[in-house]
Amino acid sequence: MPIPSRAALVGHLVQHRIAGDVATPRENNLSHYRQLANGDRHYWLGLELGDRWSDEQDVLAVMAERCGVNDDPGHRAGQDTIDPELTAAALDRLAARLRKAAAGRERVLFATGHPGGLLDVHRRTAAALRDAGCEIVRIPGGLTADGGMVFQFADVAMLERGATLWHTHSPAPMAAILDGLEHAGRPLPDLVVADHGWAGCAGQRGIDAVGYADCNDPALFIGEAEGALQVTVPLDDHILDPQAYDPMTDYLLDAAGLL
């Protein structure tokens, strides 16, 4: 298929509910914003937010600005949105960072807490960067976190429990990887491309990190606002047909000069 133009990409994002009117309901979004503001570290995704975001309305304001959710605090239930133009703009920023990684032949680590949705997005990006001369970081063997095994499949680190790839928001698997690399005397990544706590943990440790995040995961958007993450791409991170992410990945890799 041809590489989509930006306008075609925006239309595709809306058509497949990757952005636009997404499946994540407003009630769920506001609940997560409130729990982040109340200091629940599960919603901090590995970042240290202190008491800087203790007002739920401040969290909502960041999410309206950077993700495109409805900015009306009185809108408490029903449909919520991700602005597809913000998604496309973030993909352009991500492409610029990937272009820099390729030019410098950087060491890049890929990881996902959403293997059912984003695995192939990460896999294809890793393959393109390897072809461009980057080193795709191999994680140490035998790592464990959160009662599961941290392992790598198709160049992407994930959490596995009971022979099942695990959906996780936890930063612990990324912490296990970074600690394992240091213990083995190996260099840390120059760049981490991830989502959820995998991205937040890397950014908190001062590693260049970029991530994908849904409208009910405000921490990574706050991390970008504060400079802990370089890019956070807003999107529904688990749509019904993961193949619908393919044109988005095509756009990203083309913009990065990797196709």
Side-chain angles (χ1 to χ4, degrees):
M1 295 181 63
I3 306 300
S5 65
R6 179 166 171 147
L9 171 68
V10 166
H12 177 85
L13 295 173
V14 172
Q15 178 185 355
H16 292 274
R17 301 186 73 184
I18 299 170
D21 291 339
V22 293
T24 310
R26 179 69 166 191
E27 299 93 323
N28 185 259
N29 285 346
L30 294 181
S31 173
H32 287 201
Y33 304 169
R34 185 178 313 113
Q35 290 176 89
L36 180 147
N38 288 341
D40 188 333
R41 286 178 173 269
H42 174 77
Y43 297 92
W44 288 13
L45 301 183
L47 294 165
E48 292 297 329
L49 303 181
D51 60 1
R52 299 185 299 280
W53 297 92
S54 58
D55 187 335
E56 178 186 344
Q57 299 310 314
D58 290 341
V59 180
L60 175 61
V62 167
M63 293 303 293
E65 176 188 10
R66 293 181 175 267
C67 184
V69 301
N70 190 315
D71 65 356
D72 179 7
H75 178 49
R76 309 299 300 176
Q79 182 67 53
D80 213 339
T81 57
I82 293 174
D83 185 339
E85 293 289 349
L86 292 177
T87 305
L91 288 168
D92 289 339
R93 298 196 304 276
L94 175 54
R97 185 59 186 87
L98 296 178
R99 192 181 307 114
K100 177 183 175 182
R105 299 197 171 188
E106 293 181 348
R107 297 182 304 277
V108 188
L109 173 63
F110 288 83
T112 186
H114 245 304
L118 298 177
L119 173 57
D120 206 48
V121 176
H122 290 305
R123 178 198 65 80
R124 290 186 58 201
T125 308
L129 283 178
R130 173 180 281 112
D131 288 346
C134 289
E135 175 190 346
I136 305 305
V137 175
R138 301 299 299 172
I139 71 171
L143 299 179
T144 61
D146 296 333
M149 298 293 297
V150 184
F151 82 117
Q152 207 162 20
F153 172 71
D155 288 328
V156 185
M158 290 166 281
L159 184 66
E160 182 265 342
R161 291 183 189 168
T164 300
L165 304 182
W166 208 256
H167 171 217
T168 177
H169 288 219
S170 172
M174 178 58 75
I177 293 172
L178 300 178
D179 291 345
L181 290 170
E182 289 186 323
H183 185 264
R186 294 172 53 193
L188 294 177
D190 299 308
L191 174 66
V192 168
V193 183
D195 47 70
H196 286 177
W198 305 79
C201 176
Q204 183 63 40
R205 293 203 182 191
I207 298 170
D208 280 7
V210 296
Y212 298 91
D214 209 328
C215 54
N216 63 353
D217 291 328
L220 295 191
F221 296 99
I222 289 173
E224 184 182 15
E226 292 194 328
L229 269 78
Q230 296 201 333
V231 182
T232 299
V233 179
L235 81 179
D236 187 321
D237 54 16
H238 198 151
I239 58 175
L240 292 176
D241 180 9
Q243 290 185 334
Y245 291 119
D246 288 351
M248 180 191 79
T249 310
D250 291 341
Y251 177 90
L252 170 68
L253 298 181
D254 181 65
L258 296 173
L259 286 183

